[in-house]
Amino acid sequence: MSATRTQVGIVGAGPAGLFLAHLLHRHGIESVILETRSREEVEGTIRAGVLEQWTVDLMNELGLGGRMGQEAHFHRGITLRFGGGSHHLDFEDLTGGKRVTVYPQHEVLKDLIAARLADGGDVRFGVRDVELHDLETERPRLTYRDGDGGVFEVCCDFIAGCDGFHGPSRPHLAGRTEYGKLYPFGWLGVLVEAPPSHHELIYARHERGFALLSTRSPEIQRLYIQCGPKDDPADYPDELIWSELHRRLEAEDGWTLTEGRIFQKGVIGMRSFVCDPMQHGRLFIAGDAAHIVPPTGAKGLNLAVADAVYLSRGLECFYRTGRRDLLERYSETCLRRIWRAERFSWSMTTMLHTDPHESAFEDRIHLADLDYVVHSRAAATALAENYVGLPLD
Ligand code: APR
Ligand code: PHB
């Protein structure tokens, strides 16, 4: 068995793991990342990317913002549509100058991977059978097999479980409590070859269900309609998707949706999930390994990055001073921010979707919520402040 020694062993090369490796490198702390997928798969999985202002600032600070500065779209607000009307929320005005940046997650990952490898970082793609060992000792270990079946070991001081919702790290947290909610609906998402229909995102609540207009690039648009959580995309012919999108997204203001060739369809389920605590012995979990938000609030990527920041601060403090207090408070620090993002994502989700299990009374309450948001500056500010991102403590 071939062995490597490092300071922090990181499981998973998603946003949490890669940001963590960069943040540690900035403080001179070594890491090794183990990732089951190939580099091409990681870089080719197309996901949303709504970046909060501080996430953008962090990318720039880490010297990773070059391509983002050229290719990302800066949005000063969103449009909410319901009851036949259309209402723009101007985040920049409501939050004193903050905007959101739309730059797809896989583009963020490409920039992080290229820069990490250029810095001589150790990122091992295509590994198998990753296992975590000796987490309650000062010398935890990771073992894995490479593509040819060879067995390898990484001996570390700490292990960061950044391996997503289905990864092997979370089950090691003995005595954890898991909080969760499955929603009785999902999103049918399509990628379309078309120019943008609008310069910002449109979120719609319609009696037939939610719809969202988003974008990936000047040539490719991303659109969603609410569907059943286990629906088969094959049951949605293109004509049905377009007719639902037109009905749900178009209001009485004359705006129309531009159609194009649909080249990808998929259904995503919706859940909220939190694991408490997020640490045990020398293992710390971060990102989707510890929490899931439904995508309506666009918080998933930013929350993963926030965990990486808090963990890097704890590790930096430990290596510089020997103090363990920040590391000991890692879970508590992250969970305050996580619960606020969970609350926001849940409230956006319930406000904007129709729920077959809810009564007509609850339906009217959600419409009243929307009416309040678009007619009260205080309510609009609360939504805007959460959407652009609460400050990192
Ligand atoms: N060994 C090594 N790597 C693993 C293993 C394993 N056994 N299991 C999973 N992984 C890898 C996955 O292949 C993936 O690349 O861990 C990575 C986890 O990345 P993400 O799922 O993207 O999670 P995270 O980094 O926490 O980022 C959260 O990603 O899923 C979106 O919406 C979510 O935006 C949010 C963000
Ligand atoms: C997306 O572009 O896929 C997207 C945007 C905003 C959301 C969710 C998804 O809230």
Side-chain angles (χ1 to χ4, degrees):
M1 175 158 60
S2 156
T4 314
R5 169 97 191 94
T6 192
Q7 290 172 296
V8 183
I10 301 176
V11 189
L18 284 162
F19 265 99
L20 179 63
H22 277 280
L23 289 159
L24 294 176
H25 176 67
R26 182 168 69 162
H27 296 297
I29 302 168
E30 283 173 13
S31 66
V32 173
I33 303 187
L34 302 182
E35 166 60 53
T36 40
R37 294 185 296 158
S38 66
R39 179 176 177 182
E40 293 67 35
E41 278 175 274
V42 172
E43 294 183 344
T45 307
I46 298 185
R47 284 201 177 134
V50 178
L51 308 185
E52 296 177 3
Q53 182 74 54
W54 68 268
T55 306
V56 171
D57 295 343
L58 180 66
M59 294 235 346
N60 287 325
E61 251 172 73
L62 290 168
L64 300 166
R67 209 163 59 90
M68 177 179 68
Q70 306 276 309
E71 294 176 20
H73 296 271
F74 301 100
H75 292 195
R76 64 177 290 156
I78 57 169
T79 295
L80 292 177
R81 294 187 172 217
F82 60 95
S86 181
H87 310 265
H88 185 246
L89 293 186
D90 186 332
F91 294 160
E92 201 159 334
D93 169 43
L94 291 163
T95 63
K98 291 195 182 142
R99 295 182 295 181
V100 289
T101 300
V102 178
Y103 186 54
Q105 181 167 308
H106 62 283
E107 301 295 349
V108 174
L109 294 179
K110 280 186 204 166
D111 296 342
L112 291 168
I113 292 169
R116 193 69 207 108
L117 296 177
D119 284 343
D122 191 340
V123 188
R124 304 182 188 180
F125 291 100
V127 306
R128 292 194 280 126
D129 304 336
V130 174
E131 288 181 19
L132 294 75
H133 312 269
D134 306 334
L135 299 171
E136 288 166 18
T137 73
E138 299 206 336
R139 286 284 173 273
R141 293 178 301 122
L142 292 167
T143 54
Y144 69 94
R145 285 176 198 279
D146 69 3
D148 302 323
V151 181
F152 295 80
E153 181 180 59
V154 183
C155 304
C156 331
D157 300 332
F158 298 95
I159 292 179
C162 303
D163 42 7
F165 187 63
H166 300 288
S169 297
R170 191 174 62 253
H172 287 276
L173 301 175
R176 69 191 182 279
T177 303
E178 296 187 346
Y179 301 88
K181 176 177 170 64
L182 274 179
Y183 297 85
F185 40 75
W187 285 3
L188 173 77
V190 291
L191 284 170
V192 177
E193 259 173 23
S197 296
H198 193 61
H199 62 288
E200 287 174 351
L201 272 53
I202 301 177
Y203 290 82
R205 180 190 173 103
H206 188 274
E207 61 198 21
R208 301 180 65 83
F210 170 80
L212 170 62
L213 172 103
S214 180
T215 183
R216 287 290 175 273
S217 71
E219 296 80 33
I220 295 176
Q221 310 314 317
R222 180 69 163 155
L223 294 136
Y224 298 96
I225 48 172
Q226 179 179 341
C227 63
K230 298 223 159 77
D231 282 1
D232 182 350
D235 293 336
Y236 285 83
D238 294 3
E239 312 76 64
L240 175 63
I241 296 174
W242 285 118
S243 86
E244 286 300 322
L245 283 166
H246 283 292
R247 288 170 88 161
R248 298 183 195 190
L249 283 170
E250 286 171 1
E252 286 153 5
D253 59 359
W255 173 85
T256 52
L257 172 66
T258 309
E259 293 191 15
R261 185 177 74 86
I262 295 179
F263 64 94
Q264 199 194 87
K265 288 180 201 173
V267 168
I268 49 172
M270 311 265 282
R271 72 161 78 226
S272 295
F273 173 84
V274 179
C275 170
D276 180 355
M278 294 165 56
Q279 64 194 91
H280 175 72
R282 291 263 174 152
L283 169 66
F284 298 82
I285 63 169
D288 276 13
H291 42 78
I292 300 287
V293 282
T296 329
K299 291 282 147 242
L301 172 59
N302 301 286
L303 268 188
V305 184
D307 293 349
V309 169
Y310 292 132
L311 184 51
S312 72
R313 285 184 190 166
L315 291 165
E316 185 278 328
C317 179
F318 172 83
Y319 282 112
R320 187 168 44 82
T321 67
R323 272 174 38 207
R324 290 161 191 263
D325 52 322
L326 287 191
L327 276 179
E328 280 162 9
R329 287 206 306 277
Y330 166 73
S331 192
E332 185 190 325
T333 310
C334 291
L335 284 165
R336 272 196 69 217
R337 186 185 179 83
I338 290 161
W339 275 114
R340 284 180 288 167
E342 290 284 346
R343 185 208 66 78
F344 174 67
S345 307
W346 164 84
S347 75
M348 285 285 279
T349 302
T350 48
M351 182 170 77
L352 285 163
H353 289 74
T354 52
D355 181 339
H357 304 303
E358 281 187 352
S359 63
F361 174 82
E362 285 156 313
D363 201 57
R364 297 303 293 258
I365 292 289
H366 300 316
L367 283 168
D369 272 342
L370 279 163
D371 190 38
Y372 183 43
V373 162
V374 300
H375 288 108
S376 151
R377 188 168 173 96
T381 304
L383 189 152
E385 172 176 78
N386 279 279
Y387 198 101
V388 301
L390 298 174
L392 210 58
D393 299 329

